[in-house]
Amino acid sequence: MRLAVLPGDGIGPEIADATVRVLRCVSDLYGLSIDIVVLPIGLEALAEYGTTFPDVSRDGAISADGIVLGPLSTYEYPLPQKGGINASAELRSSLNLFANIRPSRCRASLPAKSQGMDLIIVRENTEGFYAARSMFAGGGEFMPTPDLAIAVRKISSEASEAVARISFEIARSRRRRLTIIHKANVLRLSDGLFLKSVQAVGQLYPDVETETILVDAMAALLVRDASRFDVVLTTNMFGDVLSNEAAELAGGLGLAPSLNVGERHAVAQASHGSAPELAGLDRANPTALILSAGRLLVWLGNKHHDPRFSGAAEMIERGIDLLLQNTATRTPDVAGRCGTRAFTDHLIDALTARREIHAFG
């Protein structure tokens, strides 16, 4: 099994290195035979190759069984014609990664702002208001005059149905409840089409209970009682905002994993940014990217019908839960005293110890 790792910018190389170490650890412990290749990307690649996403990295990622992508400092990139390619957007588009899956759950050991949360937000990942996802060519934003800016939103029944199917399947594997988030009372055509398409797919899943909630009401309900939700499905921008809200309520973006999924490819990618102010300080929390890689292992295990991958991912999740119980093994963003490298050392020790206990009773 070959995984391509694209470290990214800012804290990306540090948390990507931590993730690679953990993946190699569980590969050895569970006999997964994972081959990891680290490929150049971002500002360092720009200096060497003249582009933030060179062909060697693009080809290596696409040919791999799975991809781990670190955070990118895209705001610092030059224009695309000068080499500033957003690899995240490029992979979503070229690999048709139509679903972005973002779990959020509270942990008893952390001071979460919402108790009892255990949900997954699934956002449509290839359309919506974001400019790079709304046009085949050209930008989805344009300025007819210097004081007027216009954004185009794209919603299709095809993409809506695709993300609906994977959402209902996830709900079926959990508590069988799906909440559809929309603003069809105002965006009657675009959100209306999304809602209609999702509800049509829902007819094929009579065992999954569904409800619809307006996006502004959902923002309030997450604060009031996030524990009532299981799987939440929405459009791109709404899902981006709500998933960040849920992550913060659960303890912070440093703990927030994310997986971009298509029919044949998946990209593990933390929900947070590159935090360049923390780069090189050994203070970054690698949890989100490590958990994202764990989600990638589950996807690979399901795809190849190999439960060892899901077992390894579960052990990663339990190991992180164990470390988060103690401030001595937590990173500073969650009131801890542990650096990035030390946190990873502790996690590898915990994984090794738990595997030995499991193996030898």
Side-chain angles (χ1 to χ4, degrees):
M1 199 71 67
R2 183 171 175 269
L3 299 185
V5 176
L6 307 169
D9 303 305
I11 62 171
E14 295 170 76
I15 64 173
D17 178 70
T19 302
V20 167
R21 291 179 59 199
V22 171
L23 285 171
R24 285 176 172 155
C25 172
V26 295
S27 177
D28 291 341
L29 292 174
Y30 285 84
L32 304 182
S33 300
I34 294 176
D35 177 31
I36 297 174
V37 56
V38 180
L39 300 169
I41 193 174
L43 294 170
E44 289 189 6
L46 179 67
E48 183 175 353
Y49 295 90
T51 174
T52 56
F53 195 27
D55 288 343
V56 63
S57 301
R58 186 194 312 267
D59 296 342
I62 291 174
S63 64
D65 295 289
I67 303 166
V68 177
L69 175 62
L72 305 173
S73 298
T74 54
Y75 190 74
E76 300 178 32
Y77 289 4
L79 294 173
Q81 56 266 34
K82 294 186 177 181
I85 305 300
N86 183 339
S88 178
E90 184 77 12
L91 289 171
R92 276 193 300 265
S93 175
S94 62
L95 302 182
N96 191 27
L97 305 176
F98 55 82
N100 180 224
I101 302 168
R102 294 188 172 186
S104 286
R105 70 177 178 89
C106 296
R107 294 169 171 85
S109 56
L110 294 180
K113 300 178 180 67
S114 179
Q115 300 304 312
M117 177 193 298
D118 182 6
L119 58 78
I120 292 179
I121 294 179
V122 185
R123 58 188 274 235
E124 201 289 316
N125 206 29
T126 59
E127 299 184 338
F129 270 121
Y130 292 157
R133 309 182 201 186
S134 57
M135 308 288 281
F136 170 74
E141 290 186 306
F142 49 96
M143 296 183 70
T145 65
D147 57 354
L148 174 63
I150 298 174
V152 175
R153 185 189 196 214
K154 174 186 175 184
I155 298 289
S156 72
S157 57
E158 180 183 9
S160 300
E161 289 168 2
V163 74
R165 283 191 292 271
I166 196 169
S167 299
F168 276 103
E169 289 293 338
I170 293 172
R172 180 176 273 176
S173 70
R174 287 170 51 92
R175 302 193 299 274
R176 297 179 181 267
R177 297 203 308 272
L178 181 73
T179 303
I180 308 165
I181 306 302
H182 66 97
K183 193 66 176 175
N185 60 325
V186 175
L187 301 169
R188 292 181 178 272
L189 295 180
S190 54
D191 262 24
L193 178 59
F194 172 77
L195 184 58
K196 178 182 176 182
S197 301
V198 171
Q199 289 175 327
V201 173
Q203 297 298 313
L204 304 175
Y205 295 85
D207 55 323
V208 177
E209 176 187 350
T210 62
E211 64 175 337
T212 62
I213 298 179
L214 295 175
V215 63
D216 44 347
M218 183 61 178
L221 290 171
L222 277 176
V223 176
R224 183 185 305 171
D225 182 16
S227 64
R228 62 172 283 197
F229 299 107
D230 181 19
V231 178
V232 177
L233 167 63
T234 189
T235 53
N236 198 333
M237 183 177 289
F238 293 164
D240 197 7
V241 174
L242 290 174
S243 61
N244 278 13
E245 180 188 5
E248 183 62 26
L249 290 169
L253 282 171
L255 308 173
S258 171
L259 187 68
N260 303 289
V261 174
E263 293 292 345
R264 292 181 293 276
H265 298 87
V267 177
Q269 182 180 18
S271 298
H272 60 71
S274 61
E277 69 279 4
L278 297 179
L281 300 180
D282 192 39
R283 290 175 56 86
N285 188 347
T287 297
L289 192 60
I290 292 171
L291 289 177
S292 300
R295 289 277 164 177
L296 178 60
L297 293 181
V298 173
W299 182 83
L300 287 168
N302 292 336
K303 181 181 180 181
H304 296 282
H305 308 289
D306 191 339
R308 294 177 302 163
F309 285 84
S310 296
E314 182 180 353
M315 292 302 290
I316 291 173
E317 188 98 24
R318 291 183 181 181
I320 286 175
D321 281 347
L322 181 66
L323 265 58
L324 292 178
Q325 292 176 12
N326 192 328
T327 57
T329 52
R330 295 205 301 246
T331 47
D333 60 308
V334 282
R337 307 189 301 271
C338 203
T340 310
R341 289 187 295 272
F343 177 89
T344 310
D345 292 340
H346 287 304
L347 179 56
I348 288 173
D349 289 343
L351 291 171
T352 303
R354 292 181 73 88
R355 182 57 174 165
E356 290 174 351
I357 292 172
H358 178 74
F360 302 109

